[in-house]
Amino acid sequence: MSTRSIAVANQKGGVGKTTTVVSLAACLAERGKRTLLVDLDPQANATSALGLEKLEGGSVYQALLGSAQLADSIRPSGYDNLDIIPSEVDLAVAEVDVARAENYLQRLQFALTPIAAGTTATEATATGTVAPPYDFILVDCPPSLGILTMNALAAVDGVIIPMQAEYFALEGLAVITRVLQQVRDSGANASLELLGIVLTMYDARTNLAQQVAAEVRKHFPDKVYKTVIPRTVRLAEAPSFGKPITRYDPHSYAANCYRSLTEELLGVGPGAAAEPASPTLAAPSASPPSTPATV
Ligand SMILES: Nc1ncnc2c1ncn2[C@@H]1O[C@H](COP(=O)(O)OP(=O)(O)O)[C@@H](O)[C@H]1O
Ligand SMILES: [Mg+2]
């Protein structure tokens, strides 16, 4: 399998991008998929959600400007199969610097290409063989459609859009889907795919959430993941312990929801059956207390 690269994007803040990207990365890693999480948000929430310190000079910044190899910024996350390129505050400056650079939309694309191809793997095993390329590269985007997000969209195969089922959600979706089309038309990434929309912080008890979910499914019939992420305090707590939900509360409903979303992702698209889990790598799930609901 070649590397699949995915950006988790939405111009709105607080919709669950970071929670979703960190949880998906942890679930993919748990499933035995070699995963690289790229924190492209200067706020570095994904970095700290995995319990890592921001490291000056350790982000994508230098590589975006072409003055360093991106592979040199890869750090182990402390979890099996999961590496990270952390973020740092300086990344905020990158918006300005990158905007002045040549091919400013494709800086991340160029920087990621050797990593996706596996040709810069610096990590060597005891036998001296080079580690295989990543199965997945996931990119956490800042809450804007600025240069950094545009670089992410130009660099990846597909996009997952997390959204809250609230008023104006459809307007927000219209904006980002238009931007995806602009990225395709610009030639920066002609094959960019909308992989799916995931409803986050979903409260099934409210009429509004149900109405918005129905509207979004009507407008994007094949693009809304069946798995819905509920609003739960466990997901809000996990980052302060520096752990993904699959480690903070492995048998929780929320962890199982993200596992279920991962299965959809590993399948062909929203609602598709996933490839069978490898028996040696599948998460132990003796009897999970709850199975994720889908709407
Ligand atoms: N399903 C959820 N239930 C409860 N709280 C959540 C959920 N998803 C995210 N949060 C919390 O909401 C806030 C915003 O989520 P976050 O993932 O950081 O959004 P974004 O990256 O889009 O800004 C964070 O404090 C996060 O812990
Ligand atoms: Mg975020």
Side-chain angles (χ1 to χ4, degrees):
M1 187 180 122
S2 58
T3 307
R4 277 180 81 187
S5 53
I6 298 169
V8 176
N10 187 327
Q11 67 275 20
K12 200 164 173 229
V15 296
K17 285 183 292 297
T18 301
T19 305
T20 296
V21 81
V22 168
S23 305
L24 280 178
C27 290
L28 286 165
E30 179 184 83
R31 218 29 186 71
K33 304 291 180 192
R34 281 176 46 81
T35 303
L36 173 65
L37 175 58
V38 181
D39 190 349
L40 207 58
D41 185 351
Q43 290 181 55
N45 292 340
T47 303
S48 50
L50 284 176
L52 297 169
E53 299 289 328
K54 296 165 208 173
L55 199 64
E56 205 181 318
S59 73
V60 296
Y61 183 31
Q62 296 301 331
L64 285 180
L65 294 177
S67 53
Q69 286 290 329
L70 189 52
D72 293 340
S73 297
I74 298 176
R75 306 265 171 278
S77 69
Y79 298 102
D80 286 350
N81 298 318
L82 181 57
D83 289 342
I84 181 169
I85 297 179
S87 174
E88 56 177 332
V89 183
D90 279 4
L91 204 49
V93 187
E95 293 263 2
V96 182
D97 291 345
V98 173
R100 290 200 209 104
E102 223 181 310
N103 297 320
Y104 65 95
L105 282 184
Q106 283 164 296
R107 308 301 295 196
L108 184 64
Q109 187 187 93
F110 298 154
L112 272 178
T113 300
I115 296 178
T119 48
T120 63
T122 46
E123 179 192 339
T125 64
T127 57
T129 51
V130 175
Y134 292 103
D135 297 310
F136 283 89
I137 297 176
L138 302 186
V139 185
D140 189 22
C141 293
S144 77
L145 292 169
I147 299 282
L148 289 170
T149 298
M150 296 303 278
N151 263 267
L153 298 179
V156 295
D157 304 320
V159 187
I160 293 176
I161 305 177
M163 61 160 285
Q164 256 178 290
E166 61 187 11
Y167 206 64
F168 290 134
L170 274 175
E171 280 84 345
L173 278 179
V175 171
I176 187 161
T177 50
R178 208 159 53 232
V179 167
L180 298 186
Q181 193 54 45
Q182 283 168 0
V183 172
R184 290 181 200 113
D185 294 345
S186 74
N189 186 0
S191 57
L192 177 64
E193 198 187 342
L194 170 58
L195 294 172
I197 297 161
V198 55
L199 292 159
T200 58
M201 301 184 219
Y202 191 76
D203 186 348
R205 292 167 304 181
T206 72
N207 285 338
L208 179 65
Q210 289 178 14
Q211 280 165 15
V212 173
E215 279 283 295
V216 174
R217 288 183 193 285
K218 200 170 95 191
H219 280 79
F220 298 88
D222 308 319
K223 290 294 181 191
V224 185
Y225 288 108
K226 281 190 177 164
T227 307
V228 169
I229 309 301
R231 180 179 290 282
T232 139
V233 70
R234 305 305 272 167
L235 279 170
E237 287 167 354
S240 58
F241 292 85
K243 289 180 180 180
I245 187 70
T246 49
R247 292 300 181 103
Y248 175 61
D249 195 354
H251 301 296
S252 60
Y253 181 67
N256 285 336
C257 285
Y258 273 114
R259 288 190 185 103
S260 159
L261 182 65
T262 304
E263 295 307 310
E264 285 193 73
L265 179 65
L266 289 171
V268 178
E275 62 194 45
S278 150
T280 50
L281 296 170
S285 56
S287 58
S290 47
T291 345
T294 56
V295 294

